[in-house]
Amino acid sequence: MWQGFFQIALILGLLVVIVPIFGTYIADVFLGKKTLLDFILNPLERLIYNFSGVHFQSNMTGWQYARAILLSNLLMGVFVYIIISLQGILPLNPMQLNAPRWDLTLHTTISFLTNTDQQHYSGENTLSYASQVLALGFLMFTSAATGLAVSIAFIRGLTGRSLGNFYIDLTRSITRILLPISLIGAIILLASGVPETLAGSQIVTSLDGGTQAIARGPVAHFEIIKQLGENGGGFFGANSAHPYENPNGFSNLIETLAMVSIPTSLIYTFGILIQDKKQAWLLFGMVFLIYSGFIIITALGEFQGNPIVNNFLDQQAPNLEGKEIRFGWAETALWAVTTTGTMCGAVNGMLDSFMPNGGFSTLFNLFLQIVWGGQGTGTVYLFIFLILTVFLTGLMVGRTPEFLGRKIEKREIILASVILLVHPIGILIPGAITLAYPQLSGISNPGFHGISQVIYEYASAAANNGSGFEGLGDNTIWWNLSTSVVLLAGRYIPIVALLLLAESLLNKQPVPETPGTLKTNSLLFISVTTGVILILGALTFLPVLALGPVAEAFQIASFK
């Protein structure tokens, strides 16, 4: 037991060390300060700007920034849809795979475009190398960079700076953050045993004299951006439980840290940009405590195991169903909470096989979206809760709410409400429709667990996470189209509202601080924010949690 918890503590300790280093680097990149790669990247970026015709000195309004995102994403989506649809006649298709059905192609394109990477297919049996690398790999960079750009633009608005230029932020996110780290990470993973080849499947003779085709491909570079960009879509159907994506404990450590490094460090970047590192560390500590709490809940459930199985064995044993022995219960529990907290969605074990504790933690992560949240956008959701807390506390003391010296008024609260309400609407309404018509659901495990399967799929889509309770039969027209709508709504409605909110705050005159100003860099305020986050999450989603993992836990306990 203690060895497992020591592994978890070690990884969390490394994370705390990484945050100020990486957070400072991200701040330097977007503040235009000198970095180590300037002598290479400055000429490269100028070439990109000149070739594309981008006026890199011009700043955008909120609507202009949003339109640039929507237009560029639409063009990228059409490009990727065409590649996947034509994969049967394109090169880099050694297994001669035909194009998927139109609805699966549409869902896959939208899923990767929105940084969700929800997969209703098995990668090695469905997509060619051209589709995997040129289409999906391309979107893994651009979708992650889009989220990172939105977060930086929003922070600029909070601090009174202009929002910036989307195309510049997108370029810098890729050239200075995602691409350099991915190159180094891919080499490390390659050295760890992750393959990188354009050769087709390896045909081998099995022990009983038969033949077996072992899928492989250009996996190493795909795997690192999958983790670093919080994409999560696996090259293989088994995702990071597959030995070619995640062969050993060292690769598991690298991939875990890559998955969580950017969203955690962005909080520190926020502290640098507002010139208040104390507030950043308080926010980091708040989210870290919630994160650690979910890890403990999940890990204890997996360590204690299934009481029904324990009674049969007449001894306590960890729940190892659906887990890779090379990772064990501890690192699988840590990964599950991290992947649903960061909105990465990659898995190194079967979430459908977790005890109800794990189902509760992973679902609650998807509901909250701030532990640590999506690539860039999760950090911004955290600031939305800060704004809401300022508003609520201001009402209680009879003062006009202020955040970072700017008044929070009707327009800001309306936009914040839109951002927070899109998520439950995208989960609960389609979830209720699907559960009302069993022929649509594809549930493999009826009862309380089946409710969790359905709600999890929509929560994963709305949160742009992509993981799933894979016992669900989700490759149907209903699931592909309904989740596509949720994917689009969960991604683009909040992004537009966030940018308009940032512009609204930017245009406000700063209010001088007075003795009556609510200090947001205090332990008291952060404690109130924690309560607001947990209470709102509980009020919105408690009925679903009660009908799903909570009821399932009581059901299993009754068999003791």
Side-chain angles (χ1 to χ4, degrees):
M1 172 180 180
W2 296 115
Q3 181 182 4
F5 280 106
F6 174 77
Q7 292 172 338
I8 293 173
L10 177 62
I11 294 175
L12 295 183
L14 290 173
L15 171 63
V16 174
V17 173
I18 289 172
V19 163
I21 300 172
F22 197 18
T24 301
Y25 175 73
I26 295 174
D28 289 345
V29 166
F30 290 104
L31 287 173
K33 294 184 177 180
K34 185 176 180 180
T35 62
L36 290 175
L37 299 177
D38 281 355
F39 72 100
I40 297 175
L41 296 179
N42 283 340
L44 174 62
E45 289 175 355
R46 281 195 295 269
L47 181 64
I48 293 173
Y49 300 147
N50 292 332
F51 178 78
S52 62
V54 171
H55 300 290
F56 59 91
Q57 296 294 343
S58 60
N59 291 311
M60 293 181 171
T61 65
W63 274 117
Q64 290 172 335
Y65 207 103
R67 284 198 300 268
I69 290 174
L70 295 176
L71 178 60
S72 63
N73 277 226
L74 175 62
L75 294 176
M76 288 187 285
V78 171
F79 168 73
V80 167
Y81 185 89
I82 292 173
I83 288 182
I84 298 176
S85 298
L86 298 178
Q87 74 171 17
I89 61 174
L90 292 176
L92 297 178
N93 188 10
M95 280 75 73
Q96 299 301 306
L97 297 170
N98 294 320
R101 294 194 324 267
W102 70 270
D103 57 300
L104 179 59
T105 301
L106 178 65
H107 174 269
T108 302
T109 301
I110 292 174
S111 180
F112 280 78
L113 182 68
T114 57
N115 197 230
T116 308
D117 297 20
Q118 191 176 56
Q119 295 174 286
H120 291 171
Y121 64 91
S122 182
E124 67 270 41
N125 299 322
T126 307
L127 298 180
S128 68
Y129 291 169
S131 295
Q132 294 264 50
V133 176
L134 299 180
L136 303 188
F138 163 70
L139 288 182
M140 282 184 171
F141 279 96
T142 57
S143 64
T146 297
L148 189 54
V150 169
S151 68
I152 295 299
F154 188 82
I155 295 173
R156 288 187 186 124
L158 290 180
T159 58
R161 299 179 176 91
S162 60
L163 300 186
N165 186 302
F166 167 69
Y167 300 109
I168 306 305
D169 293 337
L170 181 76
T171 302
R172 286 179 176 171
S173 296
I174 294 174
T175 58
R176 296 177 181 269
I177 298 173
L178 297 176
L179 189 58
I181 300 174
S182 293
L183 287 173
I184 297 171
I187 294 172
I188 294 174
L189 290 181
L190 189 63
S192 302
V194 179
E196 180 76 19
T197 178
L198 293 177
S201 298
Q202 178 71 47
I203 307 300
V204 298
T205 302
S206 61
L207 293 176
D208 60 2
T211 59
Q212 180 181 356
I214 300 178
R216 53 184 177 174
V219 184
H221 83 279
F222 190 95
E223 184 71 15
I224 188 62
I225 187 57
K226 176 190 98 173
Q227 299 299 111
L228 181 67
E230 289 186 59
N231 294 284
F235 195 95
F236 302 101
N239 208 284
S240 292
H242 195 291
Y244 282 179
E245 288 200 35
N246 192 6
N248 50 54
F250 179 71
S251 65
N252 194 72
L253 170 65
I254 297 299
E255 292 179 25
T256 303
L257 292 176
M259 177 167 43
V260 79
S261 59
I262 291 180
T264 54
S265 300
L266 273 174
I267 297 178
Y268 193 84
T269 300
F270 165 73
I272 294 175
L273 292 178
I274 67 170
Q275 299 180 346
D276 189 352
K277 293 181 182 179
K278 177 184 177 183
Q279 182 162 342
W281 278 119
L282 286 170
L283 286 173
F284 177 87
M286 176 191 73
V287 182
F288 188 84
L289 286 176
I290 300 174
Y291 173 56
S292 301
F294 285 146
I295 292 172
I296 292 171
I297 291 171
T298 304
L300 286 175
E302 300 310 301
F303 173 74
Q304 292 170 354
N306 192 323
I308 302 174
V309 176
N310 291 345
N311 289 339
F312 178 77
L313 297 175
D314 198 26
Q315 64 176 357
Q316 180 179 316
N319 173 34
L320 296 178
E321 179 190 350
K323 295 179 177 61
E324 289 296 311
I325 299 301
R326 64 184 185 274
F327 306 134
W329 62 268
E331 291 188 37
T332 310
L334 171 64
W335 184 293
V337 176
T338 303
T339 195
T340 53
T342 60
M343 303 308 151
C344 175
V347 292
N348 72 348
M350 181 67 74
L351 295 180
D352 195 50
S353 298
F354 271 62
M355 297 302 295
N357 304 45
F360 177 89
S361 297
T362 53
L363 270 171
F364 214 158
N365 265 340
L366 298 180
F367 294 156
L368 293 180
Q369 296 194 90
I370 53 94
V371 187
W372 301 89
Q375 182 76 303
T377 54
T379 310
V380 174
Y381 284 134
L382 178 60
F383 303 149
I384 297 300
F385 278 110
L386 290 177
I387 291 172
L388 186 60
T389 304
V390 167
F391 178 75
L392 293 175
T393 52
L395 290 179
M396 286 188 285
V397 299
R399 283 181 55 88
T400 302
E402 302 166 11
F403 183 59
L404 299 181
R406 285 169 169 77
K407 291 183 180 295
I408 306 300
E409 298 174 306
K410 178 182 176 181
R411 176 178 171 82
E412 290 74 45
I413 294 303
I414 290 175
L415 290 170
S417 299
V418 168
I419 294 165
L420 295 178
L421 287 174
V422 166
H423 190 58
I425 290 172
I427 298 170
L428 299 178
I429 292 179
I433 294 172
T434 304
L435 290 169
Y437 296 93
Q439 65 270 28
L440 299 176
S441 66
I443 292 173
S444 64
N445 192 338
F448 303 124
H449 192 82
I451 294 174
S452 296
Q453 285 182 328
V454 169
I455 296 300
Y456 192 101
E457 190 74 6
Y458 286 115
S460 175
N464 299 140
N465 177 265
S467 61
F469 276 23
E470 292 305 334
L472 188 71
D474 49 23
N475 188 13
T476 64
I477 290 180
W478 167 254
W479 274 114
N480 287 333
L481 296 185
S482 64
T483 51
S484 291
V485 173
V486 175
L487 287 165
L488 291 170
R491 175 71 164 181
Y492 295 110
I493 294 176
I495 280 180
V496 173
L498 284 167
L499 292 169
L500 295 179
L501 176 56
E503 184 181 33
S504 178
L505 291 171
L506 167 65
N507 293 331
K508 289 180 178 290
Q509 289 296 324
V511 178
E513 184 175 323
T514 67
T517 300
L518 176 66
K519 294 188 179 297
T520 56
N521 62 351
S522 66
L523 185 59
L524 175 61
F525 178 79
I526 296 300
S527 301
V528 174
T529 303
T530 306
V532 169
I533 292 171
L534 296 178
I535 291 171
L536 280 179
L539 289 175
T540 307
F541 295 106
L542 185 59
V544 171
L545 291 169
L547 289 172
V550 174
E552 185 183 5
F554 280 109
Q555 184 183 45
I556 292 175
S558 68
F559 288 103
K560 286 186 178 181

